[in-house]
Amino acid sequence: MESELNNLHHIPLPPKQLPNPTTRDDRPLLNSLSISTTTAAASTDELEKKFAAFVRRDAYGTMGCGELPTKEKVLLGLALVTLVPVRVVLAMTVLLFYYVICRVCTMLSVPNREEEMQEDYAHIVGWRRIVIVQCGRALARVMLFILGFYWISESYRIPNSNEKSSTQKEDKHEPEEMGRPGVIISNHVSYLDIFYHMSTSFPSFVAKKSVAKLPFIGLISKCLGCVYVQRESKSSDFKGVSAIVTERIREAHQNSSAPIMMLFPEGTTTNGEYILPFKTGGFLASAPVLPIILSFHYQRFSPAWDSISGARHAIFLLCQFVNYMEVTKLPAYYPSQQEKDDPRLYANNVRRLIASEGNLILSDVGLAEKRIYHSALNGNNSLHGVLHQKDN
């Protein structure tokens, strides 16, 4: 792998020239890139075919930079001077209001510290926890309303028994201890996914350590019970995010009062039409999972956060008067003994179930390929830095 990356560093690639990934099921294709100096520059169609999971297909085009008709420009202009300021003020008001609630409820409270790198207020009990959770759920829904999600379609679906995996068919017995699921597993389309899950189950997420230090957001993340990632830590006492997440999942499965975990095992967002390979972190605890499928429907602007910058996405989203979200909830998935013994099998079976029930296309690409695609779209002549960039 090092030799391939070193070779890649010395090969100047013209803009939009992409490597040809080899299909694999288990992880991002960092070590399966075939670079040839004689390879012709990839056309836009070829790029979109290789990286279809990240291609925007709305009226705003690739990276949200497509040429817009005059009518759309007029609508954007009107929204920028009327709708956007109102929504920004309302959203900031909701954020500040909830921050004050969290500040009052955590006053004189000592945060729970699992270890040096982690602290949260998710384990406080009594009226303070009730206020934090109920207000958080209500205000998250208000935030979605402000962003144009005036109604959200929710449905409950029981998978066809004929579509169950072979491992489930072989394991006929009921789980010894049903219990509640320890983790919610969902496909990842946008940062808006977080607002929805907050409004329904108020779970704990995985976030970068820097989030804990952000104004307002930091305290809210601690009230959610977020698990913070700091990959540069070399301390031998740091058990790693996977170990902490596994403990949290087991705790939520065994204790109904513990905050449930929420994971996006794809590791990054897509355009909503595909589902990427799952990481196994959420399946190591061998606890049942609750699969939820999110999809966004649109006519002009897609709320999916794929190949568009965060600032441009936020502006276009605020300019769109109505946005649509559809949620499909599946029954809790209880792993068979074979799946408990093999977290990779467990993750793959849940992924196939979500793909089947959500009409999503299975894709073999991942975050590494997404960075390559973004680099190509931006005309980056050197992919060496992209491939070596750490997963954030």
Side-chain angles (χ1 to χ4, degrees):
M1 176 175 176
E2 277 301 320
S3 61
E4 293 180 28
L5 292 177
N6 290 332
N7 291 336
L8 180 60
H9 179 59
H10 297 291
I11 299 176
L13 296 179
K16 296 187 178 181
Q17 181 173 343
L18 267 291
N20 181 23
T22 304
T23 301
R24 291 190 61 172
D25 291 330
D26 54 344
R27 57 195 174 111
L29 314 179
L30 284 173
N31 62 346
S32 58
L33 302 173
S34 177
I35 305 295
S36 173
T37 55
T38 60
T39 303
S43 66
T44 301
D45 291 340
E46 291 172 334
L47 284 177
E48 293 184 351
K49 183 178 179 180
K50 291 179 180 179
F51 306 102
F54 313 119
V55 177
R56 292 193 70 80
R57 307 186 188 280
D58 61 5
Y60 290 78
T62 303
M63 299 179 70
C65 299
E67 183 62 29
L68 300 177
T70 302
K71 180 181 178 181
E72 187 66 27
K73 292 179 180 179
V74 172
L75 291 175
L76 275 177
L78 291 174
L80 280 171
V81 298
T82 57
L83 188 59
V84 173
V86 173
R87 283 181 165 174
V88 170
V89 171
L90 291 176
M92 290 303 299
T93 301
V94 169
L95 176 62
L96 292 175
F97 180 56
Y98 188 53
Y99 169 78
V100 171
I101 292 175
C102 292
R103 176 60 65 191
V104 171
C105 290
T106 57
M107 192 175 298
L108 303 178
S109 297
V110 178
N112 174 63
R113 287 186 173 86
E114 297 183 26
E115 57 180 76
E116 181 183 357
M117 310 300 297
Q118 305 289 331
E119 66 176 30
D120 67 85
Y121 291 100
H123 292 79
I124 62 175
V125 296
W127 66 269
R128 292 181 299 175
R129 182 61 185 171
I130 294 175
V131 171
I132 289 175
V133 172
Q134 296 304 320
C135 289
R137 294 175 61 178
L139 292 177
R141 184 63 186 91
V142 170
M143 186 71 80
L144 286 172
F145 188 89
I146 293 172
L147 296 176
F149 295 90
Y150 306 119
W151 56 88
I152 297 176
S153 174
E154 294 183 331
S155 61
Y156 298 85
R157 183 180 302 169
I158 299 178
N160 190 322
S161 59
N162 294 329
E163 297 177 353
K164 291 183 178 180
S165 67
S166 58
T167 56
Q168 286 180 293
K169 292 179 181 178
E170 294 171 1
D171 197 348
K172 300 291 185 180
H173 66 276
E174 294 293 325
E176 296 179 2
E177 295 183 3
M178 296 294 287
R180 71 162 180 165
V183 59
I184 298 171
I185 296 295
S186 175
N187 62 317
H188 201 9
V189 186
S190 174
Y191 52 82
L192 298 165
D193 305 348
I194 296 175
F195 288 119
Y196 171 76
H197 289 295
M198 282 184 64
S199 70
T200 54
S201 54
F202 202 77
S204 299
F205 297 90
V206 174
K208 291 191 293 184
K209 179 65 177 178
S210 57
V211 172
K213 300 179 181 179
L214 292 176
F216 310 119
I217 301 296
L219 178 61
I220 295 175
S221 70
K222 292 178 182 179
C223 289
L224 279 164
C226 287
V227 176
Y228 300 112
V229 182
Q230 182 156 321
R231 300 179 188 278
E232 65 271 19
S233 174
K234 303 299 182 179
S235 171
S236 59
D237 295 332
F238 185 62
K239 295 175 289 185
V241 66
S242 293
I244 297 174
V245 168
T246 299
E247 290 179 5
R248 290 282 191 91
I249 293 174
R250 287 173 178 163
E251 179 186 12
H253 173 49
Q254 298 167 1
N255 182 4
S256 59
S257 63
I260 192 170
M261 283 296 302
M262 165 73 235
L263 295 177
F264 301 108
E266 293 170 281
T268 189
T269 54
T270 68
N271 60 12
E273 300 174 8
Y274 292 77
I275 188 164
L276 310 181
F278 278 8
K279 298 180 180 180
T280 59
F283 305 89
L284 297 175
S286 300
V289 302
L290 184 64
I292 294 181
I293 307 168
L294 303 180
S295 60
F296 296 87
H297 303 286
Y298 61 92
Q299 294 181 345
R300 296 162 49 228
F301 175 74
S302 169
W305 192 24
D306 34 45
S307 61
I308 185 172
S309 69
R312 185 178 293 268
H313 184 279
I315 291 173
F316 288 158
L317 182 74
L318 291 169
C319 287
Q320 188 155 261
F321 183 71
V322 181
N323 291 292
Y324 302 94
M325 180 189 298
E326 182 178 339
V327 181
T328 302
K329 298 182 178 181
L330 304 179
Y333 187 108
Y334 290 88
S336 65
Q337 187 58 51
Q338 185 178 353
E339 289 169 327
K340 290 180 180 180
D341 297 336
D342 186 353
R344 173 62 60 186
L345 175 65
Y346 188 7
N348 288 340
N349 286 343
V350 173
R351 175 179 178 242
R352 282 195 290 267
L353 175 65
I354 291 178
S356 173
E357 297 300 322
N359 294 319
L360 302 175
I361 303 172
L362 294 171
S363 173
D364 293 326
V365 299
L367 181 57
E369 287 75 25
K370 186 176 187 178
R371 288 188 175 129
I372 293 172
Y373 178 56
H374 286 185
S375 180
L377 292 178
N378 286 297
N380 189 352
N381 290 334
S382 176
L383 300 182
H384 184 265
V386 176
L387 292 176
H388 278 77
Q389 183 180 359
K390 286 188 177 182
D391 181 356
N392 290 327

